[in-house]
Amino acid sequence: MNIDELTQRINARVEQTSELRRLPDETIADMKAAGVLRVLQPSRWGGAEVHPNAFFDTQRAIARACASSGWVYGVVAVHAWQLALFPLQAQQDVWGDDRDTLISSSYAPTGKVTRVEGGYLLNGRWSFSSGCDHAQWIFVGGFAPSDGPPDMRTFLVPRSDYVIDDNWHTFALRGTGSKDIVMSDVFVPEHRTHKFTDGYRCKSPGNEHNPAPLYRIPFGQIFVRSVSTTSLGITEAALDFYRSVTGKKVGASDGSKAAEDPLAQMTCTRAATAIDRNLLVLRRNFDELMNAAEAGEVLPVERRAAMRWDSSQAVEASVDAVDRMFTAAGGRAIFTNSPMHRWFCDVHGARAHYANRPEGPGRNLGRVMLGNRTQDWFI
């Protein structure tokens, strides 16, 4: 199945996806059949190890067909990349019997972590686990007890050890199924943890077994792009629709052509420019990251902080473009069955994600540029 056939099938399920409040099982099956969920998976586990730009282009195409599907695809497929950084035994635990096994996540450290012999005990609630209904494992974030600097880690937990709380009732990205995860005294062995500092330094236990340059780029860079790229796909879809409708629209009272309206013309121009400029910057960034990884280098902190800012800026630009199209589209756009209404809600839903808020990355970049130490280690 090629990407065009995949996106056509996904687009035909947009309403069903929204009604289910999660991706249909058929959509996940189609993604698996197309091989797109394994594009960042190590070759030793049957993965394609593609350039990240190819992954993000696929995500953008899926998001163009269905924002919720693009969102879930991005955050679930990127987990195969992070699992490659874990000790080999953790990779064996997940992929040993089934290389199509999926992982969802909730990285905010909202649960309690207690050190015990051989590992850790997890208790609490983690929110916004997109695609969790289709995953057999989950990554959750937490601080491991430490006598030194804060030890933020990702903990890998099997589906049998947690409960999904079906509380995903939203007006944006409704089909992502980003529900809460609840754990009570769940034991996680040491080998099923990954230190954020290892991801920051690009020196993780899994690098010994997965030596490709793909796995020597900073974890923070690839993750933030997995939650920002959907916004560009939404903007592309909204622009396609706006052009097709506005180009044919004639005023009921005076017969004027909407295509001659200066506001409509500038709305198209601004949206197209926002897409083009951000794609150029974001693709350049990952070319630079991969070139450095292939040379055995790690980019300077200031450059990484700038890339983190660029990722969030793409979302901000998308919100602005979609808002302008929504406003210029007229009264029909406010109907709940209008696709413009759906894109307006979804792009604002994407903007609400912590990683997509530009204020923090923007201030941090300015700090670093002025000679201060970074306050953001997720870069």
Side-chain angles (χ1 to χ4, degrees), residues 238-284:
L239 180 57
D240 289 343
F241 178 79
Y242 183 80
R243 290 178 64 179
S244 67
V245 172
T246 306
K248 302 172 185 175
K249 190 174 180 180
V250 177
S253 59
D254 60 4
S256 61
K257 295 181 179 180
E260 297 295 337
D261 181 0
L263 172 62
Q265 295 165 354
M266 285 302 298
T267 296
C268 287
T269 297
R270 290 179 184 276
T273 300
I275 295 166
D276 187 50
R277 285 181 175 174
N278 281 284
L279 284 178
L280 283 171
V281 169
L282 297 175
R283 284 173 172 159
R284 176 206 65 190

Side-chain angles (χ1 to χ4, degrees), residues 122-194:
L122 269 56
N123 285 277
R125 177 181 292 265
W126 287 259
S127 298
F128 301 105
S129 185
S130 303
C132 60
D133 292 292
H134 305 286
Q136 292 75 49
W137 294 76
I138 190 170
F139 286 145
V140 296
F143 284 100
S146 171
D147 295 330
D151 185 7
M152 176 75 173
R153 298 195 185 199
T154 300
F155 297 84
L156 173 65
V157 182
R159 178 68 184 84
S160 58
D161 287 355
Y162 57 87
V163 174
I164 297 175
D165 181 5
D166 185 2
N167 62 346
W168 188 248
H169 299 278
T170 64
F171 68 83
L173 298 172
R174 293 187 63 204
T176 61
S178 306
K179 303 167 185 177
D180 277 14
I181 304 298
V182 182
M183 298 186 194
S184 179
D185 287 337
V186 171
F187 174 70
V188 180
E190 183 73 33
H191 75 269
R192 290 185 190 161
T193 73
H194 177 238

Side-chain angles (χ1 to χ4, degrees), residues 206-265:
N207 291 142
E208 176 185 353
H209 309 285
N210 302 306
L214 172 63
Y215 305 109
R216 293 188 182 275
I217 59 178
F219 169 48
Q221 296 293 340
I222 197 165
F223 177 79
V224 296
R225 277 294 310 282
S226 76
V227 294
S228 69
T229 298
T230 290
S231 66
L232 292 171
I234 293 171
T235 309
E236 289 177 306
L239 180 57
D240 289 343
F241 178 79
Y242 183 80
R243 290 178 64 179
S244 67
V245 172
T246 306
K248 302 172 185 175
K249 190 174 180 180
V250 177
S253 59
D254 60 4
S256 61
K257 295 181 179 180
E260 297 295 337
D261 181 0
L263 172 62
Q265 295 165 354

Side-chain angles (χ1 to χ4, degrees), residues 65-140:
C66 170
S68 290
S69 297
W71 184 275
V72 171
Y73 169 71
V75 298
V76 170
V78 83
H79 295 148
W81 182 90
Q82 191 191 4
L83 184 58
L85 307 185
F86 276 68
L88 184 60
Q89 183 57 57
Q91 300 173 48
Q92 180 69 41
D93 292 346
V94 175
W95 290 322
D97 294 327
D98 182 2
R99 296 182 176 187
D100 285 324
T101 299
L102 302 180
I103 306 169
S104 67
S105 69
S106 179
Y107 289 104
T110 55
K112 181 181 179 181
V113 180
T114 305
R115 188 182 295 276
V116 295
E117 184 177 355
Y120 306 87
L121 279 184
L122 269 56
N123 285 277
R125 177 181 292 265
W126 287 259
S127 298
F128 301 105
S129 185
S130 303
C132 60
D133 292 292
H134 305 286
Q136 292 75 49
W137 294 76
I138 190 170
F139 286 145
V140 296

Side-chain angles (χ1 to χ4, degrees), residues 14-96:
V14 168
E15 294 301 328
Q16 179 189 7
T17 301
S18 181
E19 291 170 5
L20 286 174
R21 295 179 297 110
R22 63 173 177 83
L23 266 57
D25 294 341
E26 296 86 350
T27 292
I28 295 294
D30 285 344
M31 288 181 180
K32 288 182 177 180
V36 296
L37 286 165
R38 279 205 256 162
V39 294
L40 295 180
Q41 197 158 318
S43 58
R44 69 180 297 128
W45 299 109
E49 294 189 3
V50 303
H51 192 293
N53 282 336
F55 164 61
F56 294 126
D57 284 346
T58 298
Q59 182 184 6
R60 211 177 78 250
I62 294 174
R64 195 170 185 168
C66 170
S68 290
S69 297
W71 184 275
V72 171
Y73 169 71
V75 298
V76 170
V78 83
H79 295 148
W81 182 90
Q82 191 191 4
L83 184 58
L85 307 185
F86 276 68
L88 184 60
Q89 183 57 57
Q91 300 173 48
Q92 180 69 41
D93 292 346
V94 175
W95 290 322

